[in-house]
């Protein structure tokens, strides 16, 4: 599985509130170099549980990774004076980087013992951890593999629930499962930032329901100019710089 962030991705997004065609001046998702690049750089680690005999379905893993990011953002330990709040602020003050690694067996058990949150999907399990410095990974996570086993959907995924949030994937990009998991996390985070406090609370209390789907090329083009948040990759791994990877579609953000 290849991570989105093995070479440190950065993304940018238009501002859906203003309808701007470009990223805001202070966005941590801008692709060009900004003051954020001079700040100490942190990364949000995510570990997906993949046993050889029973790997999760790809779409389930993407949904679960996106929900894991939302759970971390909304956890009381991540805000205010919480024990993870300082690390979360440092992370969000710099580039918004995420690394997806895989673990099985004893590796997963050791990873699960570290402070973090495990989020489960239909079958997928993803554990998310408070941000760490780029060169300060816990040894239990640093040794986990970024590449290797990929994931597939054994059956065509169900149609997305259009009445709820949907993370739309670019149909023209061939991304690894790990990269798509990190990109889905970026998309969920952009949607979260754009919501009001009341809208965030409602989403959290509902358990962060969301769908992940790939539209046809015509619909994708419409989505990218709709004013919804768009994740653009910096091009450090797998795809060209500036590529639009995810459109974050939440009912509260539709214009």
């Amino acid at each position: 599985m290849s991570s989105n962030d093995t070479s440190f991705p950065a993304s940018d997004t238009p501002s859906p509130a203003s309808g701007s065609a470009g990223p805001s001046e202070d966005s941590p998702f801008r692709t060009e170099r900004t003051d954020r690049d001079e700040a100490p750089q942190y990364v949000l680690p995510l570990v997906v549980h993949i046993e050889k005999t029973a790997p999760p379905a790809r779409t389930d893993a993407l949904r679960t990774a996106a929900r894991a990011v939302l759970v971390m953002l909304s956890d009381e330990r991540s805000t205010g004076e919480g024990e993870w709040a300082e690390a979360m602020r440092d992370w969000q003050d710099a580039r918004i980087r995420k690394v997806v690694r895989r673990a099985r067996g004893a590796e997963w058990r050791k990873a699960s013992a570290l402070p973090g949150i495990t989020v489960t999907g239909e079958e997928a399990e993803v554990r998310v951890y408070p941000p760490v410095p780029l060169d300060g990974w816990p040894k239990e996570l640093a040794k986990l593999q970024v590449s290797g086993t990929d994931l597939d959907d054994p059956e065509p995924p169900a149609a997305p629930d259009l009445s709820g949030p949907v993370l739309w994937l670019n149909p023209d990009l061939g991304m690894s499962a790990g990269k798509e998991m990190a990109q889905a996390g970026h998309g969920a985070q952009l949607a979260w930032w754009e919501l009001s406090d009341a809208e965030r609370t409602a989403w959290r209390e509902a358990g962060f329901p969301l769908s992940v789907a790939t539209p046809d090329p015509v619909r994708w083009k419409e989505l990218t100019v709709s004013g919804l948040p768009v994740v653009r990759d910096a091009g450090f791994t797998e795809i060209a710089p500036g590529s639009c990877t995810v459109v974050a579609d939440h009912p509260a953000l539709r214009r």
Side-chain angles (χ1 to χ4, degrees):
M1 177 181 299
S2 175
S3 165
N4 179 64
D5 302 322
T6 50
S7 297
F8 316 146
S11 312
D12 60 37
T13 176
S15 171
S18 64
S20 169
S24 62
E25 290 297 324
D26 63 349
S27 170
F29 289 89
R30 293 173 67 90
T31 52
E32 65 270 27
R33 191 170 185 83
T34 72
D35 290 344
R36 289 181 180 274
D37 296 284
E38 306 307 321
Q41 299 295 304
Y42 287 74
V43 62
L44 187 78
L46 297 104
V47 175
V48 56
H49 184 193
I50 302 180
E51 295 292 343
K52 289 182 178 179
T53 57
R58 186 184 185 105
T59 298
D60 186 25
L62 298 182
R63 286 194 302 262
T64 306
R67 289 178 52 236
V69 172
L70 293 166
V71 168
M72 175 58 74
L73 287 168
S74 63
D75 192 277
E76 62 182 9
R77 290 167 289 185
S78 297
T79 60
E81 299 303 318
E83 61 186 288
W84 300 337
E86 183 177 358
M88 290 292 287
R89 287 192 292 269
D90 288 341
W91 172 58
Q92 293 181 88
D93 282 344
R95 291 292 187 178
I96 306 302
R97 300 177 174 181
K98 300 178 180 72
V99 169
V100 177
R101 296 176 183 259
R102 61 179 175 86
R104 61 171 60 98
E107 293 176 335
W108 173 253
R109 291 189 290 275
K110 290 178 181 178
S112 297
L114 296 177
I117 305 169
T118 297
V119 176
T120 59
E122 293 177 359
E123 295 179 348
E125 288 182 285
V126 175
R127 190 164 179 83
V128 60
Y129 303 85
V132 297
L134 289 178
D135 58 354
W137 282 70
K139 64 180 185 300
E140 295 88 348
L141 303 183
K143 65 183 181 181
L144 298 179
Q145 294 296 310
V146 176
S147 61
T149 304
D150 210 339
L151 299 174
D152 296 305
D153 284 310
E155 299 179 357
D161 178 5
L162 300 181
S163 68
V166 183
L167 301 176
W168 297 101
L169 304 175
N170 189 329
D172 298 321
L173 296 178
M175 294 183 282
S176 67
K179 187 171 185 69
E180 282 193 340
M181 288 173 69
Q183 295 291 328
H186 285 335
Q189 186 167 359
L190 293 184
W192 176 258
W193 281 347
E194 292 296 332
L195 297 175
S196 68
D197 288 344
E199 291 161 348
R200 290 179 179 180
T201 297
W203 199 11
R204 181 178 64 248
E205 290 181 349
F208 292 121
L210 58 86
S211 302
V212 176
T214 303
D216 63 59
V218 172
R219 178 58 178 151
W220 171 254
K221 185 175 181 179
E222 294 172 348
L223 287 163
T224 59
V225 296
S226 66
L228 292 167
V230 179
V231 178
R232 301 178 190 272
D233 193 72
F236 292 110
T237 63
E238 296 193 23
I239 57 179
S243 298
C244 299
T245 57
V246 177
V247 172
D249 179 8
H250 188 287
L253 303 179
R254 294 168 189 163
R255 300 293 185 258

